[in-house]
Amino acid sequence: MAESRIIKRNVRFWGKSGLQLTGMMLIFMVVYGFLFNMGSSRVFGDFWKTAYFYGGIISVLFAMIGPVSYVGSYLPLTLSFGSGRREAVFGAQIFCVVYVVSAYIILVFAGIMSNGKLNALIAVLFIFMTAIGQLVSVAQMHFGMKGMIIGIVMVVLGIVIGIVAGIGFIDQIMAWINRIQTNVVWTLLAIAAIVSIALYAVSVMALFREMRHYEVKA
């Protein structure tokens, strides 16, 4: 009975946080979709293509920013309110999974509406960026202010690189991808997926290890 209450508490708290991040991503996605097509005669027709493109960039960045901001901040808070350490780490994974799954479903729908072809790549990037975000959150908790600075620098770099790559080089990137043979593309994606899953597993173990020794400061 107590175990059931703990699970429900985790799902409610961390699941709600994950959905809040998805809601923020969706707002950005819709705003960008209309904002960049306001002068177009086919504003509703072009909306899905723009929303899919910018939504992909923003949602992948949020996959890193989420663990840095939510996990790094909320884990100490949940401990101070009496949460178990393993419970808190599992709760953080609920947050990540809820965000990634809900955001990806939205992107897949936008991709269907706009004939987008990057769904597999986006899925791999979701896992990779989530792992990076959790590692940065571990650095925040372990190194304090220095870790927080590292987290801020990582987030800023991620945003800048995402914007530059999205706005300045998307045509070149797509042209390069289209020139590669299909079997090579899928092989590269499979390798990237394995590396990303392994890195995510490392990030979870690092978070467990840090939580065993972490002390909540007054």
Side-chain angles (χ1 to χ4, degrees):
M1 196 69 172
E3 188 72 23
S4 176
R5 285 200 303 270
I6 291 174
I7 293 173
K8 289 179 180 178
R9 182 175 62 189
N10 258 343
V11 171
R12 281 199 303 267
F13 179 79
W14 291 104
K16 181 181 177 181
S17 299
L19 290 177
Q20 285 174 345
L21 189 61
T22 303
M24 290 174 58
M25 182 276 290
L26 183 59
I27 291 172
F28 276 105
M29 186 176 171
V30 172
V31 169
Y32 272 83
F34 282 114
L35 186 64
F36 282 88
N37 293 293
M38 287 182 64
S40 173
S41 58
R42 298 178 60 251
V43 59
F44 289 103
D46 294 334
F47 166 80
W48 289 110
K49 184 180 296 184
T50 306
Y52 178 69
F53 172 65
Y54 285 102
I57 296 173
I58 293 166
S59 62
V60 167
L61 289 176
F62 275 18
M64 180 185 72
I65 294 171
V68 173
S69 59
Y70 282 78
V71 174
S73 301
Y74 285 178
L75 277 187
L77 178 66
T78 56
L79 288 182
S80 66
F81 278 95
S83 172
R85 294 175 183 269
R86 290 175 62 86
E87 175 190 345
V89 175
F90 280 122
Q93 306 319 302
I94 293 173
F95 163 80
C96 294
V97 170
V98 167
Y99 167 71
V100 167
V101 171
S102 57
Y104 189 67
I105 289 173
I106 293 172
L107 279 177
V108 168
F109 178 75
I112 293 173
M113 298 298 292
S114 63
N115 296 318
K117 300 177 181 179
L118 297 176
N119 290 338
L121 175 61
I122 291 172
V124 173
L125 288 174
F126 266 135
I127 301 172
F128 179 79
M129 296 298 274
T130 299
I132 295 296
Q134 287 207 124
L135 289 174
V136 174
S137 70
V138 171
Q140 282 183 324
M141 290 187 288
H142 187 81
F143 296 106
M145 184 59 68
K146 292 180 181 178
M148 185 174 296
I149 293 173
I150 292 172
I152 293 172
V153 171
M154 288 287 293
V155 169
V156 171
L157 282 177
I159 292 173
V160 171
I161 293 172
I163 292 174
V164 171
I167 296 177
F169 299 99
I170 187 61
D171 293 335
Q172 293 90 327
I173 293 172
M174 291 304 300
W176 178 75
I177 292 175
N178 289 331
R179 285 197 299 268
I180 302 176
Q181 295 181 0
T182 302
N183 60 333
V184 176
V185 172
W186 284 109
T187 300
L188 291 174
L189 280 174
I191 294 172
I194 293 171
V195 171
S196 298
I197 292 171
L199 187 63
Y200 175 74
V202 169
S203 74
V204 175
M205 288 188 292
L207 192 56
F208 267 118
R209 183 181 180 86
E210 177 61 27
M211 289 297 287
R212 283 203 298 268
H213 307 286
Y214 183 75
E215 294 182 6
V216 180
K217 298 177 178 61

